[in-house]
């Protein structure tokens, strides 16, 4: 089997190419060479997918049994890639996002329709969610039944470059009082990028199902409280106090879901109400949460990214800002009273504290 990966050196592309090579597949990667090192054993074609001459030069390097597009962000670029590769590839697998279905979400199924967006839209014409929907439309417009649309939810694991899990791991390593979005039993579902890579290669190497697949962790996979516990365990923090502040308090202080505190979806319960049964029926499996957390910290430590500041951006929670919010939480006067064992008083969450002390 010969696979072309558009990208191949980033968060998902790296484990995808590594696993494909380990299986003995012939792999070609196409990218600009600016994101990460090339894989030993992969055939490398250097180029920019936004340039027509580069795409034409790529197409003559085929044919391929399948194209896996891990880097498509703009519909017009994906449309150009699909058109140029239509005669050089058997199938086109596009890694989209559950965000293509829009927000808020409830009971998302594989048949849920993406947001409307032209297949040739550009950067200034829509937001990320809508653009991903336009990318899907571009692929299916050209490849039709030979299209495979993969919609991941939250992706975590080694090589993550968005600072979601790495931010929490770095915060756990600092110890002290950790501000977290309550309640601690907030449900959380995610997929390790390595598990997505494994499943995607299995699907491409087996029968040829078409259409869209939702891919994320199983219902009841974990909670934010459990994930933070795994973070503390992974980094070996001796003592830490997790302060669970309620959503109303955080929003009142301009802390944005997803941006200010990663992995916090706030009141959007639909973010986790995703039907993944079709992917599971074709072999999607997820590794233990603790393994993803532990391996991510090991990658950060060995790769030198541990301690990297992920607090960039207007809504990021810097250490100074976190300290100020903790003081504000301690001195709030909302009349809520004393929290009970579940961190609630008078029907409102008031910030139960999970005090964790570890012996060396």
């Amino acid at each position: 089997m010969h696979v072309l990966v558009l990208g191949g050196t980033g968060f998902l592309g790296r484990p995808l190419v590594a696993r494909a090579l380990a299986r003995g597949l012939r792999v070609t990667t196409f990218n600009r060479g600016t994101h990460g090192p090339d894989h030993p054993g992969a055939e490398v074609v250097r180029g920019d997918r936004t340039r027509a001459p580069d795409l034409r030069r790529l197409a003559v390097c085929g044919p391929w049994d399948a194209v896996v597009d891990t880097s498509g962000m703009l519909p017009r670029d994906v449309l150009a890639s699909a058109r140029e590769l239509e005669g050089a590839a058997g199938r086109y697998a596009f890694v989209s996002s559950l965000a293509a279905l829009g927000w808020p979400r409830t009971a998302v199924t594989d048949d849920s329709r993406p947001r409307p967006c032209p297949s040739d839209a550009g950067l200034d014409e829509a937001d990320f969610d809508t653009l991903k929907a336009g990318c899907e439309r571009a692929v299916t417009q050209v490849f039709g039944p030979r299209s495979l649309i993969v919609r991941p939810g939250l992706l975590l694991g080694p090589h993550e470059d968005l600072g979601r899990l790495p931010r929490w791991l770095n915060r756990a390593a600092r110890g002290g009082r950790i501000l977290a979005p309550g309640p601690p039993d907030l449900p959380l579902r995610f997929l390790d990028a390595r598990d997505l890579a494994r499943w995607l290669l299995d699907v491409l190497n087996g029968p040829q199902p078409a259409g869209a697949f939702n891919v994320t962790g199983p219902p009841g996979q974990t909670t934010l409280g459990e994930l933070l516990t795994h973070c503390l365990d992974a980094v070996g923090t001796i003592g830490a106090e997790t302060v669970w502040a309620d959503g109303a308090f955080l929003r009142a202080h301009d802390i944005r879901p997803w941006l200010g505190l990663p992995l916090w979806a706030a009141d959007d319960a639909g973010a986790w109400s995703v039907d993944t049964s079709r992917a599971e029926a074709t072999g999607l499996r997820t590794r233990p949460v603790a393994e993803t957390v532990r391996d991510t910290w090991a990658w950060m430590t060995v790769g030198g990214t541990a301690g990297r500041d992920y607090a960039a951006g207007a809504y990021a929670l810097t250490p100074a800002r976190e300290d100020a919010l903790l003081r504000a939480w301690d001195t709030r006067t909302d009349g809520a009273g004393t929290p009970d064992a579940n961190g609630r008083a008078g029907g409102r969450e008031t910030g139960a504290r999970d005090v964790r002390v570890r012996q060396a």
Side-chain angles (χ1 to χ4, degrees), residues 2-226:
H2 191 183
V3 178
L4 168 64
V5 179
L6 302 183
T9 58
F11 178 27
L12 174 60
R14 181 153 295 280
L16 179 71
V17 174
R19 185 170 291 272
L21 291 171
R23 292 186 181 191
L25 276 60
R26 183 181 171 192
V27 182
T28 301
T29 60
F30 175 72
N31 55 62
R32 295 173 298 170
T34 60
H35 199 79
D38 294 315
H39 296 262
E43 301 168 9
V44 180
V45 179
R46 196 69 77 213
D48 188 332
R49 66 182 301 162
T50 67
R51 300 186 68 253
D54 289 1
L55 287 176
R56 287 194 293 270
R57 180 166 48 83
L58 171 65
V60 300
C61 296
W64 299 275
D65 296 288
V67 176
V68 182
D69 190 343
T70 67
S71 63
M73 297 297 294
L74 295 182
R76 67 186 179 200
D77 295 338
V78 174
L79 182 63
S81 300
R83 283 173 171 169
E84 197 64 54
L85 297 172
E86 180 184 10
R91 306 177 69 189
Y92 197 118
F94 178 71
V95 181
S96 180
S97 168
L98 285 175
L101 302 177
W103 297 83
R105 294 194 297 265
T106 56
V108 170
T109 67
D110 297 296
D111 295 328
S112 298
R113 308 312 302 168
R115 302 178 72 171
C117 179
S119 60
D120 59 352
L123 180 61
D124 299 328
E125 299 177 54
D127 56 19
F128 170 84
D129 302 2
T130 307
L131 289 173
K132 276 295 190 180
C135 291
E136 293 185 10
R137 191 163 287 108
V139 172
T140 56
Q141 178 179 313
V142 176
F143 273 78
R146 295 185 292 148
S147 308
L148 178 66
I149 304 299
V150 181
R151 293 178 181 145
L154 181 64
L155 282 182
L156 301 178
H159 299 284
E160 188 208 327
D161 52 6
L162 297 175
R164 290 166 172 162
L165 182 53
R167 189 272 179 190
W168 284 116
L169 283 162
N170 278 335
R171 183 62 193 88
R174 289 209 321 266
R177 302 182 72 211
I178 302 173
L179 180 68
D185 59 357
L186 184 75
L188 185 66
R189 296 172 67 180
F190 71 88
L191 189 63
D192 191 303
R194 297 169 294 178
D195 293 333
L196 175 54
R198 176 180 56 197
W199 171 82
L200 184 52
L201 290 172
D202 287 344
V203 170
L204 290 175
N205 202 36
Q208 298 194 3
F213 286 82
N214 298 326
V215 286
T216 190
Q221 180 183 25
T222 191
T223 65
L224 187 54
E226 291 172 348

Side-chain angles (χ1 to χ4, degrees), residues 333-345:
T333 56
D334 56 6
T338 302
D340 63 16
N342 296 317
R344 301 179 184 278

